[in-house]
Amino acid sequence: MNIKLYDSIQEVPKETWNAVIGDRSCTFSHEFWNVVERAHLNDFRYRHALFFNPQGEAVALTSFYTITTDIAIFAPNSLRNLLKICRRVYPNFLKLTMLECGTPVILNSPPLVCRPGENETALFQELHTLLHGLARKEGQLLIVIRDFESNAQNFQSQFKKLGYYWAQMIPNTYMDIPWKSPEDYLNSMKSYYRSKLRKHLAINQAQGIRHELTSEFHHLAEQLCRQWLVVHHQADEFAREKLTPEFYHELSHQMGERSKALLYYKGDELVGHALLLQDGELLRWLYFGRETAVNDSLYIYVGWSVVHSAILLGAKQLELGLTTYPIKQDLGAQLEPIHIALRGTSNFINTFVGWFYPLLNRVPPIRNRNVFKTGIRN
């Protein structure tokens, strides 16, 4: 297998890259990686790899990056408070520069795209050899390969044989969308959840909250990013990447009609937004932002309007993302477990990864609920 590395998506032949992807998620595409690279997020340094067979045909691809990240990112509150104290003196305590394979702003499972009929097991072995060699050469102590949802759990035994620790992350959330109209969705809910949702919708209606769906939001990039930062700074859960106005501008510009923004108005004032991406039959809810950090019903209205939009856009499934699980579950979302593969670059470090990571990170158990009447699938 011949592997060709690129330091930027701009160096990668667009036709070759997109041909390997085929009908896979548009978030693997050349265009989407253009968005990510031009956004200048955090201290990410991206690289891309094309895998060629002996006949010179591109058969697989992946992307990876170096990033300085907190290895106690899912720490319980008691430990998190202790870390805050330690970091007043040592700002980078338990923060490592690691080599991570995946996409930094989206969940893609699995992170290696293979042409149909190719030997995925052998290609993941090639990927491990590539990442391990680069990490050792460049001095990274830890390799992270992410993400593995239910469609990729069969790789667990292979990665364990390669010396990786299979770790659970906080879950993703999904909803199937079988409804023909928003009214059908509301009518399918059990009375408790329906009345609870209608109560919050009425509060927003009384306050004059309304929303608009648009694919043209590049001119609002600065304001939307400021709104996202309001939510980001208030987050007490998982938060790593830091968005930029360039991210919003490029998403609208590069992804065209597939990128959407739900804009929330109170009168004529833009008070919030939800950023969406139409990915084939899947609608992804990427980010949320608002003008002021107050405890009100706006987020519940936002969640309902995202479901509303998924129905009107003809999506078959809605991805609602990480965190704020109680509200998303009340809307009908189901939790989907996510795993990552972790490995130290040296055998000595790797002996500690398996017990040190779960010691620092606590992931709550998955408890799904059914908010719909009997016979309704969610």
Side-chain angles (χ1 to χ4, degrees):
M1 188 69 63
N2 178 36
I3 303 175
K4 188 167 183 180
L5 288 178
Y6 304 88
D7 290 329
S8 168
I9 197 66
Q10 300 290 335
E11 301 173 1
V12 183
K14 181 177 179 179
E15 296 76 13
T16 303
W17 182 270
N18 285 345
V20 175
I21 293 168
D23 60 359
R24 293 284 295 274
S25 168
C26 70
T27 57
F28 287 113
S29 70
H30 200 278
E31 293 84 355
F32 189 79
W33 270 107
N34 256 314
V35 174
V36 174
E37 287 195 4
R38 292 181 180 185
H40 304 294
L41 310 176
N42 300 51
D43 61 342
F44 293 108
R45 178 196 169 198
Y46 307 105
R47 278 172 288 185
H48 310 275
L50 279 170
F51 296 70
F52 295 87
N53 64 16
Q55 291 73 43
E57 301 168 317
V59 297
L61 59 82
T62 195
S63 298
F64 51 93
Y65 45 89
T66 56
I67 174 65
T68 302
T69 196
D70 186 351
I71 63 170
I73 197 167
F74 305 126
N77 288 333
S78 57
L79 179 56
R80 194 177 302 174
N81 292 332
L82 180 61
L83 287 172
K84 287 180 181 178
I85 296 172
C86 293
R87 286 170 180 167
R88 291 173 188 168
V89 181
Y90 304 103
N92 292 320
F93 182 64
L94 292 183
K95 293 182 180 180
L96 297 177
T97 300
M98 59 183 66
L99 190 63
E100 188 167 302
C101 181
T103 311
V105 297
I106 205 86
L107 293 171
N108 275 323
S109 175
L112 178 68
V113 179
C114 302
R115 200 174 63 174
E118 299 296 330
N119 186 335
E120 288 185 312
T121 299
L123 286 163
F124 267 111
Q125 172 71 59
E126 295 278 356
L127 175 62
H128 160 68
T129 302
L130 170 66
L131 296 178
H132 190 254
L134 282 172
R136 288 181 64 89
K137 179 182 177 182
E138 297 175 359
Q140 281 100 31
L141 300 179
L142 192 65
I143 302 167
V144 180
I145 303 179
R146 51 170 292 240
D147 301 284
F148 297 92
E149 293 185 303
S150 57
N151 67 330
Q153 291 300 309
N154 56 306
F155 293 111
Q156 179 177 358
S157 60
Q158 178 184 358
F159 278 100
K160 284 189 173 181
K161 290 177 182 177
L162 294 170
Y164 286 81
Y165 172 69
W166 195 256
Q168 186 171 342
M169 289 182 60
I170 58 174
N172 201 0
T173 48
Y174 289 96
M175 281 180 66
D176 289 338
I177 307 293
W179 306 284
K180 300 299 183 184
S181 70
E183 292 74 24
D184 288 343
Y185 162 69
L186 280 170
N187 291 334
S188 72
M189 301 179 85
K190 293 178 180 177
S191 59
Y192 170 78
Y193 297 101
R194 183 172 61 251
S195 62
K196 188 176 179 180
L197 176 56
R198 281 179 167 162
K199 173 186 174 182
H200 288 286
L201 294 180
I203 292 172
N204 281 272
Q205 185 178 17
Q207 294 177 346
I209 302 295
R210 59 184 176 85
H211 67 274
E212 297 176 2
L213 181 67
T214 181
S215 293
E216 294 287 337
F217 54 89
H218 58 274
H219 59 292
L220 297 171
E222 294 280 351
Q223 184 176 4
L224 299 186
C225 188
R226 284 198 306 271
Q227 291 181 350
W228 176 83
L229 284 170
V230 169
V231 175
H232 175 75
H233 291 319
Q234 292 293 316
D236 58 1
E237 297 176 283
F238 172 77
R240 186 180 67 163
E241 70 274 11
K242 187 173 180 180
L243 301 186
T244 62
E246 290 81 5
F247 178 78
Y248 282 89
H249 183 277
E250 291 298 326
L251 190 73
S252 178
H253 178 66
Q254 297 279 345
M255 302 307 290
E257 288 295 318
R258 289 176 294 191
S259 61
K260 314 254 181 215
L262 275 167
L263 305 177
Y264 300 92
Y265 292 92
K266 186 174 184 179
D268 293 327
E269 181 187 2
L270 179 60
V271 296
H273 76 276
L275 192 62
L276 310 176
L277 183 67
Q278 198 160 15
D279 191 2
E281 295 184 335
L282 173 67
L283 182 67
R284 297 178 184 261
W285 180 7
L286 303 181
Y287 294 105
F288 165 67
R290 59 181 303 162
E291 282 294 319
T292 56
V294 294
N295 187 14
D296 57 15
S297 293
L298 178 62
Y299 189 72
I300 297 172
Y301 177 86
V302 169
W304 169 80
S305 65
V306 170
V307 177
H308 182 282
S309 298
I311 296 169
L312 296 183
L313 289 169
K316 300 299 183 185
Q317 192 176 48
L318 171 64
E319 180 191 40
L320 296 93
L322 312 179
T323 73
T324 59
Y325 299 115
I327 292 174
K328 291 171 181 176
Q329 287 186 293
D330 279 357
L331 292 168
Q334 297 287 288
L335 305 184
E336 167 80 3
I338 305 169
H339 289 84
I340 59 175
L342 299 167
R343 194 190 193 287
T345 49
S346 74
N347 290 333
F348 175 75
I349 293 173
N350 202 44
T351 58
F352 295 97
V353 170
W355 67 267
F356 195 58
Y357 182 85
L359 183 67
L360 293 175
N361 296 277
R362 293 287 187 273
V363 177
I366 291 177
R367 295 189 178 96
N368 278 313
R369 64 180 76 140
N370 188 2
V371 308
F372 298 108
K373 298 173 185 175
T374 303
I376 300 295
R377 182 170 62 92
N378 65 320

